[in-house]
Amino acid sequence: MAIQLFVPKFAIDECLAEIRECLEKGWTGLGYKTVEFEQKWCDYTGLPHAHFINSATSGLHLALNVLKEADGWQDEDEIITSGMTFISSNHAILYENLKPVFADVDEYLCLDPEDVESKITPRTRAVLFIGIGGNTGQFDRIVEVCRKHGLRLILDAAHMSGTRLNGRVPTGDVTVYSFQAVKTLPTADSGMVCFAEKEWDDICRKKAWMGINKDTFSRTSDKGAYRWLYDVEYVGYKYNGNSIMAAIGLVQLRYLDRDNAYRRQVAAWYEEGLKGSQIASIPTAPGCESSRHLFQIHVNNRDELMLALNESEIFPGVHYRDNREYGMYKQDVDTCPNTTRMSDRIMSLPLHLGLSRRDIETIVDRVRTYGR
Ligand SMILES: Cc1ncc(COP(=O)(O)O)c(C=O)c1O
C-alpha cells in the first residue's frame, strides 16, 4: 500500500457528536464552540488570549496589521523573516506593505540569531520566527535579540501545536497556530491568533469580524431593543472561525499530546534506522519537545531520491522551497547561503499516526539504498 506524507486522524464519533450539538442548537458560526475552543486553548497553552480564526494565514495578517497600527509602523518598514517557510508567512508581510528582509537559517532550518542581528537596520520593526516542523531552533536567543533591539516578535507556530520549550509553550508578542487539514491539530481549515496584550486581542477580534465592535454571539446575551445595534470601527476582514471547525478542534485537542508523543516515536524510529548511514536528519533543538509535524532529512540527490521512493509507492514532501526562488521574492544577491543550499537538499519523510515501525523500516531501507 502507498505510504503518504501526511494522513490526518480524527476521533470521528466524538467529532460528529460535537458537530451534532452545533446543528441541534442551530449555531454553526462565530461564537458558541469557538468561544469554548478559545478558552480550552488558553488553558492548554497557558497563553492569556486566543482568538479562533479561519486560518493561520489570516492570523499572520492580523498579527502584522494590529502591531503595525499599534506601534505606528510605516509602509516599507522591515520585518526580518525566513525564506524557509510556507509562502503565507511572507505574503502576510506584503499584505501590510511592509518589507520582508530575509535572514539565513541555522542547522534547525529556523532563523539564525546571529544572521538576524546582522540584518537589523533603523527600519527593522519585528522578527517573524517560524518553528519549522515543530522545532524551536534557537528561539530563546531570538527573544534576546528582539529585546536588545526593541523589536516585536511574531511567532509563526503553524507547525507547533503541542510544542514545548523547556516545559513551556514558546510565545512571541503574537503567536499564530494553524489547524489546517494536515497539521498536528487538524480540523479542515482554521487557526488561532494569540496576542500577548489584551488591547491587541480586543482590536484583533473586531478586525477579524469586519471591524464590527460586537459579534453576533455576544449580542444574543444583550437585553432590550438595541440587541441588533453595533458600530463599525475598522475596515476589517472576514477572518473569523466557525463552530463546526471549533467542534472538530475541541476533540482533536483532547488527543494532541498523545498524538504528538507517537509522532516523536516515529521520528525516533527514523533516527535509529538512519544512524551510521550517510543520510543526515535535521536535529531537534536542545530543550525542545517538538510537536513533530515533520521529519526532515537532507541529501545530495534529493530529486533522484524522491523519484526512487515514488517508484516504491512512498510519497515524501519538501518543506520548503526557499521562497526567494519564487519570482516575486527573487533577490539579485544571495544573502542567505544556508537557505539556498538546503532548499535543494531537504526532504520530509512520511510522518503520521497511521505509520507502524515496520513502515518506517521499509522507508529507511529505501532511503539508505537510494539516498546519497
Ligand atoms: C509555516 C506555515 N505558516 C503558515 C501556514 C498557513 O497556515 P494556514 O493553512 O492555516 O493558513 C502554513 C501552512 O501550511 C505553514 O506551514
Side-chain angles (χ1 to χ4, degrees), residues 211-258:
I212 294 171
N213 68 351
K214 221 193 271 180
D215 70 63
T216 38
F217 191 67
S218 55
R219 274 189 272 141
T220 57
S221 56
D222 283 359
K223 298 275 178 296
Y226 290 102
R227 248 168 94 113
W228 53 271
L229 190 66
Y230 57 76
D231 193 14
V232 181
E233 298 178 13
Y234 302 97
V235 181
Y237 309 91
K238 187 74 168 51
Y239 283 171
N240 62 283
N242 67 63
S243 283
I244 302 294
M245 289 302 113
I248 300 174
L250 277 163
V251 175
Q252 298 296 93
L253 178 56
R254 290 176 203 150
Y255 301 106
L256 181 59
D257 283 341
R258 183 199 69 183

Coordinates of all heavy atoms in Angstrom, one line a residue, residues 211-258:
G211 N -14.5 44.5 11.3 CA -14.3 45.8 12.0 C -15.5 46.1 12.9 O -15.6 47.2 13.5
I212 N -16.4 45.1 13.0 CA -17.6 45.3 13.8 C -17.3 45.2 15.3 O -16.5 44.3 15.7 CB -18.7 44.3 13.4 CG1 -19.1 44.6 12.0 CG2 -19.9 44.3 14.4 CD1 -20.0 43.6 11.4
N213 N -17.9 46.0 16.2 CA -17.4 46.1 17.6 C -18.2 45.1 18.5 O -17.9 45.1 19.7 CB -17.5 47.5 18.1 CG -18.9 48.0 18.3 OD1 -19.8 47.4 17.8 ND2 -19.0 49.2 18.9
K214 N -19.1 44.4 17.9 CA -19.9 43.4 18.8 C -20.3 42.2 17.9 O -21.0 42.4 17.0 CB -21.1 44.2 19.3 CG -21.4 43.9 20.7 CD -22.8 44.4 21.1 CE -22.9 45.8 21.6 NZ -24.3 46.2 21.9
D215 N -19.8 41.1 18.2 CA -20.1 39.9 17.4 C -21.6 39.4 17.6 O -22.2 39.7 18.7 CB -19.1 38.8 17.5 CG -19.1 38.1 18.8 OD1 -20.1 37.5 19.1 OD2 -18.1 38.1 19.5
T216 N -22.1 38.6 16.7 CA -23.5 38.2 16.8 C -23.7 37.3 18.0 O -24.8 37.3 18.5 CB -23.9 37.5 15.5 OG1 -22.8 36.7 15.1 CG2 -24.3 38.4 14.4
F217 N -22.7 36.6 18.4 CA -22.9 35.7 19.5 C -23.0 36.5 20.8 O -23.9 36.2 21.7 CB -21.8 34.6 19.6 CG -22.1 33.5 20.6 CD1 -23.1 32.6 20.3 CD2 -21.3 33.4 21.8 CE1 -23.3 31.5 21.2 CE2 -21.6 32.3 22.6 CZ -22.6 31.4 22.4
S218 N -22.2 37.4 21.0 CA -22.2 38.2 22.3 C -23.5 39.0 22.3 O -24.1 39.3 23.3 CB -21.0 39.1 22.5 OG -20.7 39.9 21.4
R219 N -24.0 39.4 21.1 CA -25.3 40.2 21.1 C -26.5 39.4 21.5 O -27.5 39.9 21.9 CB -25.5 40.7 19.6 CG -24.8 42.0 19.4 CD -25.3 42.7 18.1 NE -24.4 42.2 17.0 CZ -24.9 41.9 15.8 NH1 -26.2 42.0 15.5 NH2 -24.1 41.6 14.9
T220 N -26.4 38.0 21.4 CA -27.5 37.2 21.9 C -27.8 37.4 23.4 O -28.9 37.1 23.8 CB -27.3 35.7 21.6 OG1 -26.1 35.3 22.2 CG2 -27.2 35.4 20.1
S221 N -26.7 37.8 24.1 CA -27.0 38.0 25.6 C -27.3 39.4 25.9 O -27.6 39.7 27.1 CB -25.7 37.5 26.4 OG -24.6 38.2 25.9
D222 N -27.4 40.3 24.9 CA -27.8 41.7 25.2 C -29.3 41.7 25.5 O -30.1 40.9 24.9 CB -27.6 42.6 23.9 CG -26.1 42.9 23.8 OD1 -25.3 42.5 24.7 OD2 -25.7 43.6 22.8
K223 N -29.7 42.6 26.3 CA -31.1 42.8 26.6 C -31.7 44.0 25.9 O -30.9 45.0 25.6 CB -31.3 42.9 28.1 CG -30.8 41.7 28.9 CD -31.9 40.7 29.0 CE -31.5 39.4 29.8 NZ -30.4 38.7 29.2
G224 N -33.0 44.0 25.7 CA -33.6 45.2 25.2 C -33.7 45.4 23.7 O -33.3 44.5 22.9
A225 N -34.1 46.6 23.3 CA -34.5 46.8 21.9 C -33.2 47.0 21.0 O -33.3 47.0 19.8 CB -35.3 48.0 21.8
Y226 N -32.0 47.2 21.6 CA -30.9 47.5 20.8 C -29.9 46.3 20.6 O -28.7 46.5 20.3 CB -30.1 48.7 21.4 CG -30.9 50.0 21.2 CD1 -31.6 50.5 22.3 CD2 -31.0 50.6 20.0 CE1 -32.4 51.7 22.1 CE2 -31.8 51.7 19.8 CZ -32.5 52.2 20.8 OH -33.2 53.4 20.6
R227 N -30.4 45.1 20.8 CA -29.7 43.9 20.5 C -29.0 43.9 19.2 O -27.9 43.3 19.0 CB -30.6 42.7 20.6 CG -30.5 41.8 21.7 CD -31.7 40.9 21.7 NE -31.4 39.6 21.0 CZ -31.3 38.4 21.5 NH1 -31.5 38.3 22.8 NH2 -31.0 37.4 20.9
W228 N -29.7 44.5 18.2 CA -29.2 44.4 16.8 C -28.1 45.5 16.5 O -27.4 45.5 15.5 CB -30.3 44.7 15.8 CG -31.1 45.9 16.2 CD1 -32.1 46.1 17.0 CD2 -30.8 47.3 15.7 NE1 -32.5 47.4 17.1 CE2 -31.7 48.1 16.3 CE3 -29.8 47.8 14.9 CZ2 -31.7 49.5 16.1 CZ3 -29.8 49.2 14.7 CH2 -30.7 50.0 15.3
L229 N -27.9 46.4 17.5 CA -27.1 47.6 17.2 C -25.6 47.4 17.4 O -25.2 46.8 18.4 CB -27.6 48.8 18.1 CG -27.0 50.1 17.8 CD1 -27.5 50.7 16.4 CD2 -27.4 51.1 18.9
Y230 N -24.8 47.8 16.4 CA -23.4 47.7 16.6 C -22.8 48.9 15.8 O -23.4 49.5 15.0 CB -22.8 46.4 16.1 CG -23.1 46.0 14.6 CD1 -22.4 46.7 13.6 CD2 -24.0 45.1 14.3 CE1 -22.7 46.3 12.3 CE2 -24.3 44.7 13.0 CZ -23.6 45.4 12.0 OH -23.8 45.1 10.7
D231 N -21.5 49.1 16.1 CA -20.7 50.1 15.4 C -19.6 49.4 14.6 O -19.3 48.3 14.9 CB -20.1 51.1 16.4 CG -19.6 52.4 15.7 OD1 -19.9 52.6 14.5 OD2 -18.8 53.1 16.3
V232 N -19.1 50.1 13.6 CA -18.0 49.6 12.8 C -16.8 50.5 13.0 O -16.9 51.7 12.7 CB -18.4 49.5 11.3 CG1 -17.2 48.9 10.5 CG2 -19.6 48.6 11.1
E233 N -15.8 50.0 13.5 CA -14.6 50.8 13.9 C -13.4 50.7 13.0 O -12.5 51.5 13.0 CB -14.2 50.4 15.4 CG -15.3 50.6 16.4 CD -14.8 50.2 17.8 OE1 -13.6 50.0 18.0 OE2 -15.7 50.1 18.6
Y234 N -13.4 49.7 12.2 CA -12.2 49.5 11.3 C -12.7 48.9 9.9 O -13.8 48.4 9.8 CB -11.3 48.4 11.9 CG -10.7 48.7 13.2 CD1 -11.3 48.1 14.4 CD2 -9.6 49.5 13.4 CE1 -10.8 48.4 15.6 CE2 -9.1 49.8 14.7 CZ -9.7 49.2 15.8 OH -9.2 49.5 17.0
V235 N -11.8 49.0 8.9 CA -12.0 48.3 7.7 C -11.5 46.9 8.0 O -10.3 46.6 7.9 CB -11.2 48.9 6.5 CG1 -11.5 48.0 5.2 CG2 -11.6 50.3 6.3
G236 N -12.4 46.0 8.5 CA -11.9 44.7 9.0 C -12.0 43.7 7.9 O -12.2 44.0 6.7
Y237 N -11.8 42.4 8.3 CA -11.8 41.3 7.3 C -12.7 40.2 7.8 O -13.2 40.2 9.0 CB -10.3 40.7 7.3 CG -9.3 41.8 7.1 CD1 -8.7 42.5 8.2 CD2 -9.0 42.2 5.8 CE1 -7.8 43.5 8.0 CE2 -8.0 43.2 5.6 CZ -7.5 43.8 6.7 OH -6.6 44.8 6.4
K238 N -13.1 39.3 6.9 CA -13.9 38.2 7.3 C -13.0 37.0 7.6 O -12.9 36.1 6.8 CB -14.9 37.9 6.1 CG -16.0 36.9 6.4 CD -17.1 37.4 7.3 CE -18.3 36.5 7.4 NZ -18.1 35.1 7.7
Y239 N -12.4 37.1 8.7 CA -11.4 36.1 9.1 C -11.8 35.2 10.2 O -11.0 34.4 10.7 CB -10.1 36.8 9.5 CG -9.2 37.3 8.4 CD1 -8.1 38.2 8.7 CD2 -9.5 37.0 7.0 CE1 -7.3 38.7 7.7 CE2 -8.7 37.5 6.0 CZ -7.6 38.4 6.3 OH -6.8 38.8 5.4
N240 N -13.0 35.4 10.7 CA -13.5 34.6 11.9 C -13.5 33.1 11.7 O -13.8 32.6 10.6 CB -14.8 35.1 12.4 CG -15.9 34.9 11.3 OD1 -16.0 35.6 10.3 ND2 -16.7 33.8 11.5
G241 N -13.3 32.4 12.8 CA -13.5 30.9 12.7 C -15.0 30.6 12.9 O -15.8 31.5 13.3
N242 N -15.4 29.3 12.7 CA -16.8 29.0 12.9 C -16.9 27.8 13.8 O -15.9 27.1 14.1 CB -17.5 28.7 11.5 CG -16.9 27.5 10.8 OD1 -17.0 26.4 11.4 ND2 -16.3 27.7 9.7
S243 N -18.1 27.5 14.3 CA -18.3 26.5 15.3 C -18.1 25.1 14.8 O -17.8 24.2 15.7 CB -19.8 26.6 15.9 OG -19.8 27.7 16.8
I244 N -18.3 24.8 13.5 CA -18.1 23.5 13.0 C -16.6 23.1 13.1 O -16.2 22.0 13.6 CB -18.6 23.3 11.6 CG1 -20.0 23.6 11.5 CG2 -18.2 21.9 11.0 CD1 -21.0 22.7 12.2
M245 N -15.7 24.1 12.7 CA -14.3 23.8 12.8 C -13.8 23.7 14.3 O -13.0 22.9 14.7 CB -13.5 25.0 12.2 CG -13.6 25.0 10.7 SD -13.0 23.5 9.9 CE -14.5 22.9 9.2
A246 N -14.4 24.6 15.1 CA -14.1 24.6 16.6 C -14.5 23.3 17.2 O -13.8 22.8 18.1 CB -14.7 25.8 17.3
A247 N -15.6 22.7 16.7 CA -16.1 21.5 17.3 C -15.1 20.4 17.0 O -14.8 19.6 17.9 CB -17.5 21.1 16.7
I248 N -14.6 20.3 15.8 CA -13.5 19.3 15.5 C -12.3 19.6 16.3 O -11.6 18.7 16.9 CB -13.2 19.3 14.0 CG1 -14.5 19.0 13.2 CG2 -12.1 18.4 13.7 CD1 -14.3 19.1 11.7
G249 N -11.9 20.9 16.4 CA -10.7 21.3 17.1 C -10.7 20.9 18.6 O -9.8 20.4 19.2
L250 N -11.9 21.1 19.2 CA -12.1 20.7 20.6 C -11.8 19.2 20.8 O -11.1 18.8 21.8 CB -13.5 21.0 21.1 CG -13.8 22.5 21.5 CD1 -15.3 22.7 21.5 CD2 -13.1 22.8 22.8
V251 N -12.2 18.4 19.9 CA -12.0 16.9 20.0 C -10.5 16.6 19.8 O -9.9 15.9 20.6 CB -12.9 16.2 19.0 CG1 -12.5 14.7 19.1 CG2 -14.3 16.4 19.3
Q252 N -10.0 17.2 18.8 CA -8.6 16.9 18.4 C -7.6 17.4 19.5 O -6.6 16.7 19.8 CB -8.2 17.7 17.1 CG -9.0 17.2 15.9 CD -8.8 15.8 15.6 OE1 -9.5 14.9 16.0 NE2 -7.7 15.5 14.8
L253 N -8.0 18.5 20.2 CA -7.1 19.0 21.3 C -7.0 17.9 22.4 O -6.0 17.8 23.1 CB -7.7 20.3 21.8 CG -7.0 20.9 23.0 CD1 -5.5 21.2 22.7 CD2 -7.7 22.3 23.4
R254 N -8.1 17.2 22.7 CA -8.0 16.1 23.7 C -6.9 15.1 23.5 O -6.4 14.6 24.4 CB -9.4 15.3 23.8 CG -10.5 16.1 24.2 CD -11.8 15.3 24.1 NE -13.0 16.2 24.1 CZ -14.1 15.9 23.5 NH1 -14.3 14.7 22.8 NH2 -15.1 16.8 23.5
Y255 N -6.6 14.9 22.2 CA -5.6 13.9 21.9 C -4.3 14.4 21.4 O -3.4 13.7 21.0 CB -6.2 13.0 20.8 CG -7.5 12.3 21.3 CD1 -8.7 12.8 20.8 CD2 -7.5 11.4 22.3 CE1 -9.9 12.2 21.3 CE2 -8.6 10.8 22.8 CZ -9.9 11.2 22.3 OH -11.0 10.7 22.8
L256 N -4.1 15.7 21.5 CA -2.9 16.4 20.9 C -1.6 15.8 21.5 O -0.7 15.4 20.8 CB -3.0 17.9 21.0 CG -1.8 18.7 20.4 CD1 -1.7 18.4 18.9 CD2 -2.1 20.2 20.6
D257 N -1.5 15.8 22.8 CA -0.3 15.4 23.5 C 0.0 13.9 23.2 O 1.1 13.5 22.9 CB -0.3 15.6 25.0 CG -0.1 17.1 25.3 OD1 0.4 17.8 24.4 OD2 -0.5 17.6 26.4
R258 N -1.1 13.1 23.3 CA -0.9 11.7 23.0 C -0.4 11.5 21.5 O 0.5 10.7 21.3 CB -2.2 10.9 23.2 CG -2.1 9.5 23.0 CD -3.5 8.8 22.7 NE -4.0 9.2 21.4 CZ -5.2 8.8 21.0 NH1 -6.0 8.1 21.7 NH2 -5.6 9.2 19.8

